[in-house]
């Protein structure tokens, strides 16, 4: 293997929502108070370690914070959690992404106007858990075509989406709800940044056979990028860091595609790029496809 080129997708690096959440957490950590992230601020192991080094702890429940600052991450939280932070006398740094705040406002509006809110998303994803807190008692969450095909007929249906859902799924859900609801109101809350990232992944898939997708395993938008590449018949390898690369993935390739999720920092991506190039410069292992973990 030699002269292997790595083609970076034209959209990469943090989205503005994640960038703000990391910056607000770091700024809070400068102040000397105990800082607690309510859930990982980003699904990225490198950033998580960096924040831990600055003394930031990750809590799953507000009750775990005895004092100091609770940072609400970009995904947002239900109103009850915001209330609990205040009632416990903790300081709140709200890093909810402006696009998620917008989706929360629309969800509130739909519930107030008497619509049954239909949320496209993963029921236990933190952003969806947050949205549900604004959606009133009669809301429903659907993630698959099978699930929305099973929805009952409705008088008034209001549709919103988790920001990282693929646009085609939102369009398909809206088309279906139009056939079962007497009245429908739709707010397109799919995040344009993730849409751009998905388009960039599709474009990359046009140019290469093998794509490396970098981001946390539990990052919804990163998983979606790998899915997209696979749906286009490409070999997609989802990794969190350069240590997970394997030389055999690139056997016979002269160009490899590389893209990161919206919570993957550029320096992690560039490290992966360097390691793929180093693997490409290594002689083949005895001419075989023997597995070789990237240690370059
Ligand atoms: S992916 Fe979009 S909605 Fe989510 S934090 Fe980033 S900019 Fe905000």
């Amino acid at each position: 293997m030699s002269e292997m080129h790595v083609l970076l997708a034209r959209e990469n690096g943090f989205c503005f929502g994640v960038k703000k959440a990391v910056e607000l957490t770091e700024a809070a950590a400068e102040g000397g108070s105990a800082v607690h992230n309510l859930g990982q601020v980003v699904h990225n192991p490198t950033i998580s370690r960096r924040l831990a080094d600055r003394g930031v702890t990750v809590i799953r429940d507000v009750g775990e914070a005895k004092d100091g600052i609770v940072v609400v991450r970009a995904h947002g939280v239900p109103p009850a959690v915001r209330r609990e932070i205040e009632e416990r006398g903790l300081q709140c740094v709200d890093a909810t992404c402006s696009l998620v705040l917008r989706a929360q406002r629309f969800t509130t509006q739909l519930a107030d106007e008497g619509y049954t809110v239909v949320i496209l998303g993963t029921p236990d994803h933190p952003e969806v858990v947050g949205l549900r807190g604004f959606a009133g008692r009669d809301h429903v969450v659907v993630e698959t075509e099978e699930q929305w095909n099973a929805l009952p007929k409705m008088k008034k249906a209001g549709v919103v989406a988790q920001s990282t859902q693929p646009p085609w799924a939102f369009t398909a859900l809206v088309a279906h709800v139009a056939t079962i609801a007497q009245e429908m109101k739709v707010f397109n809350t799919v995040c344009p940044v993730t849409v751009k990232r998905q388009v960039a992944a599709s474009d990359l898939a046009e140019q290469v056979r093998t794509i490396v997708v970098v981001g946390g395993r539990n990052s919804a938008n990163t998983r979606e990028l790998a899915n997209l590449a696979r749906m286009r018949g490409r070999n997609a390898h989802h990794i969190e860091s350069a240590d997970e690369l394997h030389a055999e993935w690139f056997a016979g390739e002269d160009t490899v595609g590389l893209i990161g999720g919206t919570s993957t920092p550029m320096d992690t991506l560039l490290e992966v790029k360097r390691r793929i190039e180093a693997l490409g410069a290594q002689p083949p292992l005895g001419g075989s496809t023997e597995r070789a973990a990237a240690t370059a």
Side-chain angles (χ1 to χ4, degrees):
M1 215 185 298
S2 65
E3 288 289 309
M4 191 159 58
H5 300 290
V6 178
L7 194 58
L8 271 172
R10 60 188 154 71
E11 299 287 338
N12 264 313
F14 280 163
C15 64
F16 65 85
V18 167
K19 186 166 178 285
K20 183 184 90 170
V22 172
E23 285 171 359
L24 285 174
T25 305
E26 287 177 333
E30 298 281 304
S33 305
V35 176
H36 313 279
N37 273 137
L38 189 51
Q40 269 187 334
V41 71
V42 285
H43 296 304
N44 180 274
T46 311
I47 298 291
S48 299
R49 274 194 299 274
R50 194 168 95 197
L51 292 173
D53 288 345
R54 295 182 186 194
V56 176
T57 59
V58 179
I59 55 172
R60 293 171 62 89
D61 189 273
V62 178
E64 292 171 46
K66 300 288 167 259
D67 55 12
I69 300 170
V70 174
V71 182
V72 172
R73 58 186 166 177
H75 296 316
V77 290
V81 173
R82 277 303 299 267
R83 276 197 301 276
E84 190 184 351
I85 294 171
E86 278 158 34
E87 282 163 11
R88 288 179 179 272
L90 300 160
Q91 202 184 323
C92 181
V93 169
D94 190 350
T96 308
C97 175
S98 56
L99 295 180
V100 176
L101 287 172
R102 174 178 169 272
Q104 291 176 348
R105 277 198 303 274
F106 287 148
T107 304
T108 305
Q109 181 185 331
L110 290 171
D112 288 351
E113 291 176 359
Y115 289 89
T116 300
V117 181
V118 180
I119 303 171
L120 174 66
T122 307
D124 58 353
H125 186 281
E127 184 187 323
V128 176
V129 172
L131 284 179
R132 296 177 77 172
F134 295 87
R137 277 183 31 199
D138 293 330
H139 69 270
V140 54
V141 182
V142 288
E143 190 173 19
T144 63
E145 192 172 352
E146 198 180 23
Q147 287 169 355
W148 65 69
N149 281 341
L151 288 172
K153 294 209 178 304
M154 296 178 199
K155 263 198 167 149
K156 293 176 75 172
V159 188
V160 291
Q162 177 186 345
S163 60
T164 45
Q165 286 292 311
W168 60 264
F170 188 67
T171 309
L173 170 64
V174 169
H176 177 71
V177 174
T179 67
I180 58 169
Q182 287 176 21
E183 185 187 329
M184 177 168 80
K185 192 175 257 189
V186 177
F187 288 111
N188 185 350
T189 57
V190 173
C191 166
V193 182
T194 59
V195 173
K196 271 191 181 172
R197 196 68 56 104
Q198 288 162 12
V199 172
S202 297
D203 289 349
L204 200 58
E206 299 284 313
Q207 302 172 69
V208 294
R209 284 185 310 195
T210 295
I211 296 181
V212 174
V213 183
V214 188
R217 294 213 199 290
N218 47 356
S219 157
N221 80 85
T222 308
R223 284 207 304 259
E224 193 52 41
L225 297 176
N227 283 343
L228 263 173
R230 288 183 191 122
M231 278 162 62
R232 279 161 180 69
R234 301 300 179 242
N235 305 313
H237 303 286
H238 180 174
I239 60 169
E240 291 191 341
S241 73
D243 294 336
E244 297 168 52
L245 291 167
H246 291 284
E248 67 192 33
W249 293 347
F250 312 118
E253 302 287 11
D254 53 16
T255 307
V256 170
L258 179 61
I259 189 165
T262 56
S263 52
T264 304
M266 273 316 284
D267 50 1
T268 301
L269 210 64
L270 293 175
E271 170 63 10
V272 171
K273 180 174 183 289
R274 278 192 293 274
R275 299 278 281 271
I276 297 174
E277 286 165 345
L279 284 173
Q282 283 177 6
L285 293 169
S288 77
T289 55
E290 187 182 332
R291 170 171 281 217
T295 52

